[in-house]
Amino acid sequence: MNAHARRRLFGHKESEMHIILGGTGHVGSAVARTLLAAGEPVTIVSHDPAKGEEWKARGAKVAVADVHDVDALRFVFRSGRRGFLLNPPAAPRTDTDLEERRTIAAILAAVKGAELEKLVVESTYGAQPGTRCGDLNTLWELERGIAAQPIPHAINRGAYYFTNWDANLEEVRDTGVLRTMFDADFTLPMVAPEDLGAHAARLMTDGRTGIFYAEGPRRYTPRDVANAFAAALGRTVRVETTPRDQWTPAFKALGFSSPAAESYARMTAATADDPAFPAEAIRGTTRLEDHIAALVERAVAPA
């Protein structure tokens, strides 16, 4: 985006404009929908112009900018008052840790000098210092980088997404097997992305700062997931746990690069061995059973 186009798109700083980075994904779109429903002005940042048409129809502005383009991203941030930051997940075929650190560095550089009054950062349960542990490490670095800025901020740490189970639908439907790396009765905080996004939207409009944890109405196990699929599909579903020594090969079989497969395997191990449940969490209202039922209904609906 050249300087003339930027001036044309953003001639002045909107009094309460919310800038949503990652606004076309599960969580970011929930943030945007919640804010728009409340009558709040929103700008969606996307690298793909085609994805912006739907948001324009909903009343949002759309800024086309690549997350690596620091100058363009900083200019977009300067057009608003508050920013929602979500580090885009790297493609599994790449070295995901390396790529996600690059995008984090660009985001932090763009925020510097953007003159925002508040930032809301999407992060994850279990975020921790270290290397080669996927989002647990990279999002920790994003948190620390934002904390070093003078801008007031809130960290929205989300539990394990319900949508992580969506890719299992076809195999579960065809074979009655729910394949997972967790033990069948391992209790795991989970959350619907729409609930996570709704909480982030509230943080965008109020004065709270600090670290917040968001999860669903209760905690679930893979057996609960299997039972939800069984109820929605009308068939028996059993849990099959992949042995730990097969985690890295399993990720590679899904198309992950060797570094990404090793990183995701270590992240899974960290979650299984030290789930780091918070003492208090913001509770969403969407049940896992309802998410799975809706997933199955969409899959069987006529085109």
Side-chain angles (χ1 to χ4, degrees), residues 10 12-19 43 75-83 114-117:
F10 298 113
H12 63 283
K13 194 176 184 74
E14 299 282 355
S15 60
E16 293 295 339
M17 181 65 75
H18 300 283
I19 310 300
T43 290
F75 190 88
V76 176
F77 285 145
R78 284 178 174 170
S79 72
R81 292 291 183 185
R82 296 189 171 205
E115 300 177 355
L116 289 160
E117 67 180 28

Side-chain angles (χ1 to χ4, degrees), residues 26-40:
H26 286 301
V27 177
S29 63
V31 178
R33 286 194 305 269
T34 304
L35 290 171
L36 288 169
E40 297 282 343

